[in-house]
Amino acid sequence: RARTLVRVTPYLNYNTLRNVFESNRDYHNALKLGGTVQVVVAPGAGQAVTLGLDGGYTTIRSNFLGARHLEDAAGFAQYEVELDPRLRAVLGVRVDYHTASGGKQEVSVNPKLAMVFRAGEQLNLRASVARGYRAASAIEQFVNTTQFGFQVIPNPSLRGEFAWAGEVGMNLVGERFWLDASLFRSEYRDLIAPTVIVQPGVGIRAQFANIGRARVQGLDAGVRMRLIRRLIDLQASYMLLDTRDLETDSALVYRSRHNVTGTVEAMGGLLAVDLRYRSAPEQVLRYVLDPRYHITLVDLRLQYRLLGAGLQLKISNLFQHQYTNIQERVPGAPRSISLTAFRGF
């Protein structure tokens, strides 16, 4: 209706994996059924009230996870109001419930407050503070297998992670450019992270565990620019990430301090070059004496429309850069070529 919107979004997700290697016959089958019901009401000018429910039920059959089921449910409410023609405020709360077979039930209450100020025709400023919650996934809590040379053992007592997060940012939009930048900081409790366990007579094993206190802060910026109209467009993003395990006063494992992406598009997207850069992680989990390197990858995309359909040729890792991707001593993806055809209806 004119003042009421009802949105119902059901979903069904099924995925399966089965290895056929002589030394590895791992398999899993997972089915998740759920949905969201959301009602948005406009009680008056410049106001909006959002109410909703979210739920999901997951069943898993796996030789390295076991037979598991997970239940997730949440209720949320949000009130948005225009305090001034240039100032809007959003106040919300979300209550999450999670349980998994073999684990403990968890309930989390998460409020948020956000403000948006229109400083000019092209400039918006924003600020927000919120509490967030993420339940432990089945792969984090129950995995029992060997991966990338690590013997990974389960942690049924693993808890979900919580964080208070704050952000201040700006958005600037011009005729031929777009800029968005923000400073953010998150204070975590029970952050889920991989850890190493040394067991006498057994050796080194890996396990997901809760870190008591951790901090993640940094800068996130993105820019788009039409350099030459209908000929060359530029896009770039940069994230400066400062992470800290406050229990050990060390960086969180496998995090890169500098992360850059860039794209040059020519002739309306017919030709594009993508750049991905990630600095070497400050901290790793196991092979701490191995040299660590920065990663720079270049991809090439060619696109063409024929008979109403789109064809795209993509060459990833164009220059066959050799690198280690996250998992230590495990090579990253080599050069690959894919051809995709698509058409809208």
Side-chain angles (χ1 to χ4, degrees), residues 124 126 167 169-172 178-182 220-224:
N124 289 317
R126 65 180 183 273
E167 178 192 12
M170 55 85 68
N171 180 271
L172 184 64
W178 172 92
L179 172 66
D180 189 277
S182 64
D220 191 9
V223 62
R224 294 199 302 265

Side-chain angles (χ1 to χ4, degrees), residues 42-65:
Q47 300 179 66
V49 176
T50 302
L51 302 172
L53 297 172
D54 186 15
Y57 181 81
T58 306
T59 61
I60 298 171
R61 297 292 181 271
S62 168
N63 72 311
F64 59 90
L65 296 175

Side-chain angles (χ1 to χ4, degrees), residues 234-237 260-264 273-277 297 301:
L234 303 178
Q235 297 184 37
S237 68
V260 179
T261 64
T263 297
V264 179
V273 177
D274 301 314
L275 170 71
R276 294 173 284 157
Y277 170 84
L297 300 177
R301 289 180 287 127

Side-chain angles (χ1 to χ4, degrees), residues 19-33:
N19 287 337
V20 293
F21 302 112
E22 290 186 5
S23 60
N24 189 328
R25 297 283 177 169
D26 285 347
Y27 71 90
H28 86 255
N29 301 292
L31 174 68
K32 184 172 184 179
L33 176 66

Side-chain angles (χ1 to χ4, degrees), residues 15 95 321:
N15 69 77
V95 180
H321 179 64

Side-chain angles (χ1 to χ4, degrees), residues 286-302:
R286 187 172 181 182
Y287 303 109
V288 296
L289 298 181
D290 280 8
R292 305 169 200 165
Y293 302 102
H294 306 312
I295 298 173
T296 303
L297 300 177
V298 177
D299 303 334
L300 176 66
R301 289 180 287 127
L302 301 173

